[in-house]
Amino acid sequence: MDETDRHLLARLGEDARTPVATLARDLGLARSTVQARLERLERNGVIAGYALRLGDAVRAGQIRATVLLSLDPRATPAVVKRLDRMPEVEAAHTASGRADLVLTLAAPTTAALDRTLDVIGEIDGIKGSETLIHLSTKIQRSG
């Protein structure tokens, strides 16, 4: 990956829907060159996909939380499978330290978040949890 690829990725990070012709003009390259670079970046796994990123108008109506889970190590695959079926779970990351799994949750109300936490707490293999409610976002980077 060279400097041109990094500039291309930065432009896509701003707006992944930018037409290839516009990217080519902005980067001073031929459209076919930009298209070939995008295909190579996709093929090599640098670009894993193009996704919808919800704006503040939608996110503002959500109560968000980070949940730290301690797990029975043998139960991790089953716990992750169960969490994957819960729409309130936006992300799940394995971690080192006192937590085995770190979740990001979003729910429309505190009551819905509380119900979600109750369901998570009942999953076999979870030994303990700690929930941190997000109050405000000070920095949000994409990518």
Side-chain angles (χ1 to χ4, degrees):
M1 193 163 74
D2 63 14
E3 193 63 27
T4 301
D5 288 339
R6 283 189 272 285
H7 287 297
L8 178 58
L9 292 173
R11 284 289 285 118
L12 288 172
E14 294 167 7
D15 182 2
R17 295 181 62 194
T18 304
V20 174
T22 302
L23 293 169
R25 186 177 58 250
D26 292 351
L27 297 171
L29 299 170
R31 185 190 180 289
S32 59
T33 301
V34 171
Q35 187 64 50
R37 282 178 176 268
L38 288 171
E39 290 170 3
R40 178 179 45 80
L41 291 167
E42 290 169 0
R43 189 174 51 252
N44 293 340
V46 174
I47 296 175
Y50 303 87
L52 173 67
R53 186 178 65 201
L54 298 175
D56 290 337
V58 173
R59 294 171 60 86
Q62 298 284 302
I63 308 295
R64 302 175 67 75
T66 296
V67 180
L68 309 176
L69 296 178
S70 299
L71 307 176
D72 174 354
R74 295 168 295 188
T76 300
V79 170
V80 170
K81 186 174 182 179
R82 179 90 187 274
L83 292 169
D84 188 41
R85 293 194 302 261
M86 300 176 69
E88 299 84 2
V89 177
E90 291 186 331
H93 307 276
T94 57
S96 63
R98 64 188 173 106
D100 299 305
L101 208 56
V102 178
L103 308 179
T104 303
L105 305 182
T109 65
T110 54
L113 180 61
D114 191 40
R115 284 190 301 273
T116 300
L117 293 169
D118 287 344
V119 169
I120 290 171
E122 294 172 358
I123 297 173
D124 287 335
I126 294 179
K127 297 191 298 188
S129 68
E130 179 180 353
T131 302
L132 308 162
I133 306 294
H134 299 196
L135 300 176
S136 67
T137 301
K138 303 298 185 188
I139 299 171
Q140 178 74 43
R141 291 190 176 97
S142 64

